[in-house]
Amino acid sequence: MSYYRLFRGFFRIIFSLVFRWQVIGREHIPKEGPVILCANHISLWDPPLLGSGIERQVHFMAKEELFKIPVVSFLITKFGAFPVKRGAGDRAAIRTTLKLLEDGKIFGIFPEGTRSKTGEPGEAMPGVAMFALKSEAAVIPVAIIGPYRPFRSIKIVYGKPIDLTQLREAKSSADTLKEASDLIMEHIKQLRNQHLS
């Protein structure tokens, strides 16, 4: 058994017993080919939750400081993470992401770039749109509905792929990136609102 499957099984036990998770919309995840999972961000628990809800492995960016801590570095690397320098355009991380998608893998990202302090989804950073428009990946909105409190139910909802055909065919510009980012975030918000109750 791979380290990834081992860690995923461990987290599934936690999410099942402690947080009583509900996983909705697994059927919307393509069984093969490149996928970008775009989720709202409310907790440090979000990355393992995002990956634990589906069968295919999910890869993530993680701040490079974490890779300087030996045990943490080992664990997050085995869980599919790779380093990114925060606060600047990290070309190596961008290339790694695009190569993962080119190879038909799944990449998980939190478009807001940071955790929401209120629990409400915020605005998306342009990075998510760049990956979505530069690849042929299926872009899946994901709603995480908390809070993470022991024995309180948490939901993760995987939505239908977002149609980005027109934006992918349009001339690349800051406006196109903004429109794509806003569209992705709007789908996440709608998905969250549909499943709040």
Side-chain angles (χ1 to χ4, degrees):
M1 179 182 287
S2 70
Y3 279 110
Y4 184 86
R5 290 176 63 191
L6 187 67
F7 293 152
R8 186 179 61 191
F10 170 73
F11 280 116
R12 282 177 173 175
I13 291 170
I14 292 176
F15 292 132
S16 177
L17 298 181
V18 179
F19 297 117
R20 296 179 179 173
W21 70 337
Q22 298 178 52
V23 182
I24 301 167
R26 278 194 187 105
E27 68 276 9
H28 296 141
I29 307 296
K31 289 184 169 51
E32 58 184 26
V35 176
I36 302 174
L37 299 178
C38 305
N40 59 310
H41 199 7
I42 60 173
S43 167
L44 291 171
W45 286 103
D46 293 341
L49 180 73
L50 190 61
S52 295
I54 62 176
E55 293 306 311
R56 294 178 62 187
Q57 180 171 359
V58 181
H59 300 266
F60 300 92
M61 288 182 183
K63 59 184 180 180
E64 64 174 353
E65 293 83 358
L66 295 175
F67 290 86
K68 296 174 183 176
I69 307 169
V71 175
V72 174
S73 176
F74 173 80
L75 293 175
I76 63 177
T77 299
K78 294 301 182 183
F79 201 72
F82 57 93
V84 60
K85 295 177 183 176
R86 302 187 69 177
D90 185 338
R91 293 186 177 182
I94 292 169
R95 286 195 298 270
T96 298
T97 302
L98 292 174
K99 182 65 167 62
L100 282 168
L101 295 172
E102 186 182 314
D103 291 344
K105 311 281 189 189
I106 297 186
F107 173 61
I109 189 170
F110 302 97
E112 298 154 279
T114 187
R115 297 189 302 278
S116 169
K117 293 178 181 177
T118 65
E120 295 291 326
E123 284 194 30
M125 303 289 282
V128 64
M130 179 191 64
F131 295 131
L133 299 183
K134 280 184 172 289
S135 71
E136 295 299 318
V139 178
I140 305 286
V142 184
I144 297 174
I145 303 169
Y148 289 89
R149 289 182 187 158
F151 313 115
R152 290 274 302 277
S153 178
I154 187 157
K155 291 181 187 176
I156 180 163
V157 187
Y158 300 92
K160 295 179 181 178
I162 301 169
D163 185 0
L164 294 170
T165 305
Q166 290 186 339
L167 289 170
R168 280 173 171 159
E169 292 173 351
K171 184 178 179 181
S172 180
S173 68
D175 289 341
T176 306
L177 287 174
K178 177 74 164 61
E179 188 175 348
S181 297
D182 290 347
L183 180 63
I184 290 168
M185 208 66 219
E186 186 56 36
H187 275 76
I188 295 171
K189 290 176 183 176
Q190 289 177 4
L191 201 60
R192 180 178 177 273
N193 290 339
Q194 288 169 9
H195 293 273
L196 265 177
S197 56

